[in-house]
Amino acid sequence: MIVPKVWYSDEGDTINIDLGKGFLPPHYSISLEERVNEIADILYYTEKPTEIFRVSVWFDGKDIFDYFPEERGPTERRVLEVNPQARSRSKRDIGESKVLVAAGHGIYYNSKYKDWRAQRDRTNGIVEDFITPAFARLLQDYLRGRSNSTVHRARSTDISAHPDSAQPWSLMAARYHIKNVLPEHAEIWNSAGSAGATSTGEREQDIRSRPLYANHLGVDALIHLHTNAASASRRGVEVFHQPNSSDSKRLGDLALCYMRESLRTNSAYADFPVALVSSPKNHGENRLAEMPSIIAEMGFHTNPKDAVAIQSYVFQDLAMRGLEKAYRMFKEGNGCETFSATYSEVTVVSDSTRDAEIVFGGFPRFPVKYTSTVAECPSGILCVSLGGRFATAETPRTITHSCSSSQPMTMKWNVTFTDADGVKAEALSTVHCQPKA
Ligand SMILES: [Zn+2]
């Protein structure tokens, strides 16, 4: 029996647990990693009301990779070159890049039961293995259309039958697809890691095959799409990156920022919980990657409310639209900046016109439409609400005002700008009308 030691860091933001080296089996495996993560997860959520940001797991004072150094993964990761020109307007300015989109899990051969089965059980009507490709397809479309990316998929999209299992290729785990396209590269799809071929099954090989395939393809980023599992009350979108991979953390934080922004555009998901920051956690899928790599967990299939959302095309579409934007912002070197608008206050001489300048913050998608409602209007005066659109990002961006009055007066409007993705920004327009001299 293992009696773990538990203590807080001096800063109080980390909870440490030492399981002792007796906890460790002779070989590293993905199942070991999952067991350790589960323990860390239980601690994290039990302790959550206090401000802890991470759980560190130790084994007699050492890191797990001090025992399995060959499993540490690449120490240096490729850093995606940020193209400063790409901060500007047109899609052509964004440098081309390659992304591997990996839908989580898929059918694998279970050597114990001697059958082909999904990696996750059906919960609330969802089999994670079969729903993740729906997210992947949408992300692929957005990355191609908006991020100037060549997209590779870890799992097949073919619906014909995989001969050995008689199941559609599209339901199979990545390992089988990669074996089919790269039969000569057994080190990718048959990788058992330091455990050796005998002790790990094809489910573990599947997890390892994804980052190894990404390394082989030389992609600029790897995005894993999953749905989460825990106790029934846990909810929301979470993202994981490998500890000490700062680029992956940046991508993970942006993923949450822009998925939140996108989900907020639909009242049905305005309150959908989205974690504030990406969590550092050891997952083979990220660890073995030589490039920025994140795991996006699109809600908990173990929670009934999340499960309904996960199956909704609207939710899938909004989440993946936000995730693509995050990747684009990552590539362009931008941070988490939501759409905002400021509207310059103007003084108009009666019976003439004057332009008010509108400045946008964040990264709206054009065309941006605007509508206004009257906020303040002197009695006896007709204050007309304005509406229109800005077709492109071109600046300066102005709206022309006019007025007619023999007395000085002030009019105000609440203006709502809505970008092509439905992201909204509010501003107040103030117009002073001055009689002619
Ligand atoms: Zn999963």
Side-chain angles (χ1 to χ4, degrees), residues 100-154:
L100 178 63
V101 172
H105 311 294
I107 290 173
Y108 76 108
Y109 182 71
N110 184 302
S111 55
K112 186 172 152 200
Y113 297 104
K114 304 211 173 344
D115 64 5
W116 295 87
R117 56 174 63 205
Q119 297 177 30
R120 294 291 182 261
D121 294 332
R122 183 176 292 274
T123 314
N124 289 319
I126 296 176
V127 178
E128 181 184 350
D129 308 49
F130 305 152
I131 197 97
T132 52
F135 286 91
R137 185 172 53 243
L138 288 161
L139 181 58
Q140 167 174 325
D141 289 347
Y142 280 121
L143 285 169
R144 280 181 178 161
R146 298 182 172 190
S147 274
N148 196 16
S149 297
T150 304
V151 179
H152 299 271
R153 294 275 292 270

Coordinates of all heavy atoms in Angstrom, one line a residue, residues 100-154:
L100 N -1.3 19.3 -38.0 CA -1.9 17.9 -37.8 C -3.0 18.0 -36.9 O -2.8 18.5 -35.7 CB -0.8 16.9 -37.3 CG -1.4 15.5 -37.1 CD1 -1.9 14.9 -38.4 CD2 -0.4 14.5 -36.5
V101 N -4.2 17.7 -37.3 CA -5.4 17.7 -36.5 C -5.7 16.2 -36.1 O -5.9 15.4 -37.0 CB -6.6 18.3 -37.2 CG1 -7.9 18.2 -36.4 CG2 -6.3 19.8 -37.5
A102 N -5.7 16.0 -34.8 CA -5.8 14.6 -34.4 C -7.1 14.4 -33.6 O -7.2 14.9 -32.4 CB -4.6 14.2 -33.6
A103 N -8.1 13.8 -34.2 CA -9.3 13.4 -33.4 C -9.0 12.3 -32.4 O -8.4 11.3 -32.8 CB -10.4 13.0 -34.4
G104 N -9.4 12.5 -31.2 CA -9.0 11.6 -30.1 C -9.6 10.2 -30.3 O -10.7 10.0 -30.9
H105 N -8.8 9.2 -29.9 CA -9.2 7.8 -29.8 C -9.5 7.1 -31.2 O -9.0 7.4 -32.2 CB -10.3 7.6 -28.8 CG -9.9 8.3 -27.5 ND1 -8.8 7.9 -26.7 CD2 -10.4 9.4 -26.9 CE1 -8.7 8.7 -25.7 NE2 -9.7 9.6 -25.8
G106 N -10.5 6.2 -31.2 CA -10.8 5.4 -32.3 C -10.7 3.9 -32.0 O -10.1 3.5 -31.0
I107 N -11.3 3.1 -32.8 CA -11.4 1.6 -32.6 C -10.0 1.0 -32.6 O -9.2 1.4 -33.5 CB -12.3 1.0 -33.6 CG1 -13.8 1.4 -33.3 CG2 -12.2 -0.6 -33.6 CD1 -14.8 0.9 -34.3
Y108 N -9.7 0.1 -31.7 CA -8.4 -0.5 -31.7 C -8.6 -2.0 -31.3 O -9.7 -2.4 -30.9 CB -7.5 0.1 -30.6 CG -7.8 -0.3 -29.2 CD1 -7.0 -1.1 -28.5 CD2 -9.0 0.2 -28.6 CE1 -7.3 -1.5 -27.2 CE2 -9.3 -0.2 -27.3 CZ -8.5 -1.0 -26.6 OH -8.8 -1.4 -25.3
Y109 N -7.5 -2.8 -31.5 CA -7.6 -4.2 -31.2 C -7.2 -4.4 -29.8 O -6.1 -4.0 -29.3 CB -6.7 -5.0 -32.1 CG -6.8 -6.5 -31.8 CD1 -8.0 -7.2 -32.2 CD2 -5.8 -7.2 -31.2 CE1 -8.1 -8.5 -31.9 CE2 -5.9 -8.5 -30.9 CZ -7.0 -9.2 -31.3 OH -7.2 -10.5 -31.0
N110 N -8.1 -5.0 -29.0 CA -7.8 -5.3 -27.6 C -7.4 -6.7 -27.5 O -8.1 -7.7 -27.7 CB -9.1 -5.0 -26.8 CG -8.9 -5.2 -25.3 OD1 -8.4 -6.3 -24.8 ND2 -9.1 -4.2 -24.5
S111 N -6.1 -6.9 -27.1 CA -5.5 -8.2 -27.1 C -6.0 -9.1 -25.9 O -6.0 -10.3 -26.0 CB -4.0 -8.1 -27.1 OG -3.6 -7.4 -26.0
K112 N -6.6 -8.5 -24.9 CA -7.1 -9.2 -23.8 C -8.4 -9.8 -24.1 O -8.7 -11.0 -23.9 CB -7.2 -8.3 -22.6 CG -7.6 -9.0 -21.3 CD -7.5 -8.1 -20.1 CE -8.5 -8.4 -19.0 NZ -8.8 -7.3 -18.1
Y113 N -9.3 -9.0 -24.7 CA -10.7 -9.5 -25.1 C -10.7 -10.0 -26.5 O -11.7 -10.6 -26.9 CB -11.7 -8.3 -24.9 CG -11.8 -7.8 -23.5 CD1 -11.2 -6.6 -23.1 CD2 -12.5 -8.6 -22.6 CE1 -11.4 -6.2 -21.8 CE2 -12.6 -8.2 -21.2 CZ -12.0 -7.0 -20.9 OH -12.1 -6.6 -19.6
K114 N -9.6 -9.9 -27.2 CA -9.5 -10.4 -28.6 C -10.6 -9.8 -29.4 O -11.3 -10.6 -30.2 CB -9.4 -11.9 -28.6 CG -8.3 -12.5 -27.8 CD -7.7 -13.8 -28.4 CE -6.5 -14.3 -27.7 NZ -5.7 -13.4 -26.8
D115 N -10.9 -8.5 -29.3 CA -11.9 -7.9 -30.2 C -11.5 -6.5 -30.6 O -10.5 -5.9 -30.0 CB -13.3 -8.0 -29.5 CG -13.3 -7.2 -28.3 OD1 -12.4 -6.5 -27.9 OD2 -14.4 -7.2 -27.6
W116 N -12.3 -5.9 -31.5 CA -12.0 -4.5 -31.9 C -13.1 -3.7 -31.1 O -14.2 -3.9 -31.2 CB -12.2 -4.4 -33.4 CG -11.2 -5.1 -34.2 CD1 -11.3 -6.4 -34.5 CD2 -10.0 -4.6 -34.7 NE1 -10.1 -6.8 -35.2 CE2 -9.3 -5.7 -35.3 CE3 -9.3 -3.4 -34.6 CZ2 -8.1 -5.6 -35.9 CZ3 -8.1 -3.2 -35.2 CH2 -7.5 -4.3 -35.9
R117 N -12.6 -2.7 -30.4 CA -13.5 -1.9 -29.6 C -13.0 -0.4 -29.5 O -11.9 -0.1 -29.8 CB -13.6 -2.5 -28.2 CG -12.3 -2.6 -27.5 CD -12.4 -3.0 -26.1 NE -13.0 -4.4 -26.0 CZ -13.7 -4.8 -24.9 NH1 -13.8 -4.0 -23.8 NH2 -14.2 -6.0 -24.8
A118 N -14.0 0.4 -29.2 CA -13.7 1.9 -29.0 C -12.8 2.0 -27.7 O -12.9 1.1 -26.8 CB -14.9 2.7 -28.8
Q119 N -12.1 3.1 -27.6 CA -11.2 3.3 -26.4 C -12.0 3.9 -25.2 O -11.6 3.7 -24.1 CB -10.0 4.2 -26.8 CG -9.2 3.6 -27.8 CD -8.0 4.5 -28.3 OE1 -7.5 5.3 -27.5 NE2 -7.6 4.4 -29.5
R120 N -13.1 4.5 -25.5 CA -14.0 5.0 -24.4 C -15.4 4.5 -24.5 O -15.9 4.2 -25.6 CB -14.0 6.6 -24.6 CG -12.7 7.3 -24.4 CD -12.2 7.2 -22.9 NE -10.9 7.9 -22.7 CZ -9.7 7.3 -22.6 NH1 -9.6 6.0 -22.8 NH2 -8.7 8.0 -22.4
D121 N -16.0 4.3 -23.3 CA -17.3 3.8 -23.2 C -18.4 4.8 -23.6 O -18.1 6.0 -23.4 CB -17.6 3.3 -21.8 CG -16.7 2.1 -21.4 OD1 -16.3 1.4 -22.4 OD2 -16.4 2.0 -20.2
R122 N -19.6 4.3 -24.0 CA -20.7 5.2 -24.3 C -21.2 5.9 -23.0 O -21.4 5.2 -22.0 CB -21.8 4.5 -25.0 CG -23.0 5.3 -25.4 CD -24.0 4.5 -26.2 NE -23.5 4.1 -27.5 CZ -23.5 4.8 -28.6 NH1 -24.1 6.0 -28.6 NH2 -23.0 4.4 -29.7
T123 N -21.2 7.2 -23.0 CA -21.7 7.9 -21.8 C -22.6 9.0 -22.2 O -22.3 9.8 -23.2 CB -20.5 8.6 -21.0 OG1 -19.5 7.6 -20.9 CG2 -20.9 9.0 -19.6
N124 N -23.8 9.2 -21.6 CA -24.7 10.2 -22.0 C -25.0 10.2 -23.5 O -25.1 11.3 -24.2 CB -24.3 11.6 -21.6 CG -24.4 11.8 -20.1 OD1 -25.3 11.3 -19.5 ND2 -23.4 12.4 -19.5
G125 N -25.0 9.0 -24.1 CA -25.2 8.9 -25.6 C -24.0 9.2 -26.4 O -24.1 9.1 -27.7
I126 N -22.8 9.4 -25.8 CA -21.7 9.8 -26.6 C -20.6 8.7 -26.5 O -20.3 8.3 -25.4 CB -21.1 11.1 -26.1 CG1 -22.1 12.2 -26.4 CG2 -19.7 11.4 -26.9 CD1 -21.6 13.6 -25.8
V127 N -20.0 8.3 -27.7 CA -18.8 7.6 -27.6 C -17.7 8.6 -28.1 O -17.7 9.0 -29.3 CB -18.8 6.3 -28.5 CG1 -17.4 5.6 -28.5 CG2 -19.9 5.4 -28.1
E128 N -16.8 8.9 -27.2 CA -15.8 10.0 -27.5 C -15.1 9.7 -28.9 O -14.9 10.6 -29.7 CB -14.8 10.1 -26.4 CG -13.8 11.2 -26.7 CD -12.7 11.3 -25.6 OE1 -12.8 10.7 -24.6 OE2 -11.7 12.0 -25.9
D129 N -14.7 8.4 -29.0 CA -14.0 8.0 -30.3 C -14.7 8.4 -31.5 O -14.1 8.6 -32.6 CB -13.9 6.5 -30.3 CG -13.3 5.9 -29.0 OD1 -13.7 6.3 -27.9 OD2 -12.4 5.1 -29.1
F130 N -16.1 8.4 -31.5 CA -16.9 8.6 -32.7 C -17.3 10.1 -32.9 O -17.8 10.4 -33.9 CB -18.1 7.7 -32.7 CG -17.7 6.2 -32.5 CD1 -18.6 5.3 -32.0 CD2 -16.5 5.8 -33.0 CE1 -18.2 4.0 -31.8 CE2 -16.1 4.4 -32.8 CZ -17.0 3.5 -32.2
I131 N -17.2 10.9 -31.8 CA -17.7 12.3 -31.9 C -16.5 13.2 -32.3 O -16.7 14.3 -32.9 CB -18.4 12.7 -30.7 CG1 -19.3 14.0 -30.9 CG2 -17.5 13.0 -29.5 CD1 -20.7 13.8 -31.2
T132 N -15.3 12.9 -31.9 CA -14.1 13.8 -32.1 C -13.9 14.1 -33.6 O -13.5 15.2 -33.9 CB -12.9 13.3 -31.4 OG1 -12.6 11.9 -31.8 CG2 -13.0 13.4 -29.9
P133 N -14.1 13.1 -34.5 CA -13.9 13.4 -35.9 C -14.8 14.6 -36.4 O -14.4 15.3 -37.3 CB -14.2 12.1 -36.6 CG -13.9 11.1 -35.6 CD -14.4 11.6 -34.3
A134 N -16.0 14.7 -35.8 CA -16.9 15.8 -36.2 C -16.2 17.2 -35.9 O -16.2 18.1 -36.8 CB -18.2 15.7 -35.5
F135 N -15.5 17.3 -34.8 CA -14.8 18.5 -34.5 C -13.6 18.7 -35.4 O -13.3 19.8 -35.9 CB -14.3 18.4 -33.0 CG -15.4 18.6 -32.0 CD1 -16.1 17.5 -31.4 CD2 -15.7 19.9 -31.5 CE1 -17.0 17.7 -30.5 CE2 -16.7 20.1 -30.5 CZ -17.3 19.0 -30.0
A136 N -12.9 17.6 -35.7 CA -11.7 17.6 -36.5 C -12.0 18.1 -37.9 O -11.3 18.9 -38.5 CB -11.1 16.2 -36.6
R137 N -13.2 17.6 -38.5 CA -13.5 18.0 -39.8 C -13.8 19.6 -39.9 O -13.3 20.2 -40.8 CB -14.8 17.3 -40.2 CG -15.2 17.5 -41.7 CD -16.3 16.6 -42.1 NE -17.5 16.7 -41.2 CZ -17.9 15.7 -40.5 NH1 -17.3 14.5 -40.6 NH2 -19.0 15.8 -39.7
L138 N -14.5 20.1 -38.9 CA -14.7 21.5 -38.9 C -13.4 22.3 -38.7 O -13.2 23.3 -39.4 CB -15.7 21.9 -37.7 CG -17.1 21.4 -38.0 CD1 -17.9 21.3 -36.7 CD2 -17.8 22.3 -39.0
L139 N -12.6 21.9 -37.8 CA -11.3 22.6 -37.6 C -10.5 22.6 -38.9 O -9.9 23.6 -39.2 CB -10.5 21.9 -36.4 CG -9.2 22.6 -36.1 CD1 -9.4 24.1 -35.7 CD2 -8.5 21.9 -34.9
Q140 N -10.5 21.4 -39.5 CA -9.7 21.3 -40.8 C -10.2 22.4 -41.8 O -9.4 23.1 -42.4 CB -9.9 19.9 -41.3 CG -9.4 19.8 -42.8 CD -9.4 18.4 -43.3 OE1 -9.2 17.4 -42.6 NE2 -9.8 18.2 -44.5
D141 N -11.5 22.5 -41.9 CA -12.1 23.4 -42.9 C -11.8 24.8 -42.5 O -11.4 25.6 -43.4 CB -13.7 23.3 -42.9 CG -14.1 22.0 -43.6 OD1 -13.2 21.3 -44.2 OD2 -15.3 21.6 -43.5
Y142 N -11.9 25.2 -41.3 CA -11.5 26.6 -40.9 C -10.0 26.8 -41.0 O -9.6 27.9 -41.5 CB -11.9 26.8 -39.4 CG -13.4 27.1 -39.3 CD1 -14.2 26.3 -38.5 CD2 -14.0 28.2 -39.9 CE1 -15.6 26.6 -38.4 CE2 -15.3 28.5 -39.8 CZ -16.1 27.7 -39.0 OH -17.5 28.0 -38.9
L143 N -9.2 25.9 -40.7 CA -7.7 26.1 -40.9 C -7.3 26.3 -42.3 O -6.5 27.1 -42.7 CB -6.9 24.9 -40.3 CG -6.9 24.8 -38.8 CD1 -6.3 23.5 -38.3 CD2 -6.0 26.0 -38.2
R144 N -8.0 25.5 -43.2 CA -7.7 25.7 -44.6 C -8.2 27.0 -45.2 O -7.5 27.7 -45.9 CB -8.4 24.5 -45.4 CG -7.6 23.3 -45.3 CD -8.3 22.2 -46.2 NE -7.5 21.0 -46.1 CZ -8.0 19.8 -46.4 NH1 -9.3 19.7 -46.8 NH2 -7.3 18.7 -46.4
G145 N -9.4 27.3 -44.8 CA -10.1 28.5 -45.3 C -9.5 29.8 -44.7 O -9.5 30.8 -45.4
R146 N -9.1 29.8 -43.5 CA -8.8 31.1 -42.8 C -7.3 31.2 -42.4 O -6.8 32.3 -42.2 CB -9.7 31.3 -41.6 CG -11.1 31.3 -41.9 CD -12.0 31.6 -40.7 NE -13.4 31.8 -41.1 CZ -14.3 32.3 -40.2 NH1 -14.0 32.5 -38.9 NH2 -15.5 32.5 -40.6
S147 N -6.6 30.1 -42.1 CA -5.3 30.2 -41.6 C -4.2 29.9 -42.6 O -3.0 29.7 -42.2 CB -5.1 29.2 -40.4 OG -5.6 29.7 -39.2
N148 N -4.6 29.7 -43.9 CA -3.6 29.4 -44.9 C -2.8 28.2 -44.5 O -1.6 28.1 -44.6 CB -2.7 30.6 -45.2 CG -1.9 30.5 -46.5 OD1 -2.3 29.7 -47.3 ND2 -0.9 31.3 -46.6
S149 N -3.5 27.1 -44.1 CA -2.8 25.9 -43.5 C -3.1 24.7 -44.4 O -4.2 24.5 -44.9 CB -3.3 25.6 -42.1 OG -2.9 26.7 -41.3
T150 N -2.0 23.9 -44.5 CA -2.2 22.6 -45.1 C -2.5 21.7 -43.9 O -1.8 21.7 -42.9 CB -0.9 22.1 -45.7 OG1 -0.5 23.0 -46.7 CG2 -1.1 20.7 -46.3
V151 N -3.6 21.0 -43.9 CA -4.1 20.2 -42.8 C -3.9 18.7 -43.0 O -4.3 18.2 -44.1 CB -5.5 20.5 -42.4 CG1 -6.0 19.7 -41.2 CG2 -5.7 22.0 -42.1
H152 N -3.2 18.0 -42.1 CA -3.2 16.6 -42.1 C -4.0 16.1 -41.0 O -4.2 16.7 -40.0 CB -1.7 16.1 -41.9 CG -0.8 16.6 -43.0 ND1 -0.5 15.9 -44.1 CD2 0.0 17.7 -43.0 CE1 0.3 16.6 -44.9 NE2 0.7 17.7 -44.2
R153 N -4.6 14.9 -41.2 CA -5.4 14.3 -40.2 C -4.8 13.0 -39.7 O -4.2 12.2 -40.5 CB -6.8 14.0 -40.8 CG -7.6 15.2 -41.2 CD -8.3 15.8 -40.0 NE -9.4 15.0 -39.6 CZ -10.6 15.0 -40.1 NH1 -11.0 15.9 -41.0 NH2 -11.6 14.2 -39.7
A154 N -4.8 12.8 -38.4 CA -4.2 11.6 -37.8 C -5.1 10.4 -38.0 O -4.6 9.3 -38.1 CB -4.1 11.8 -36.3

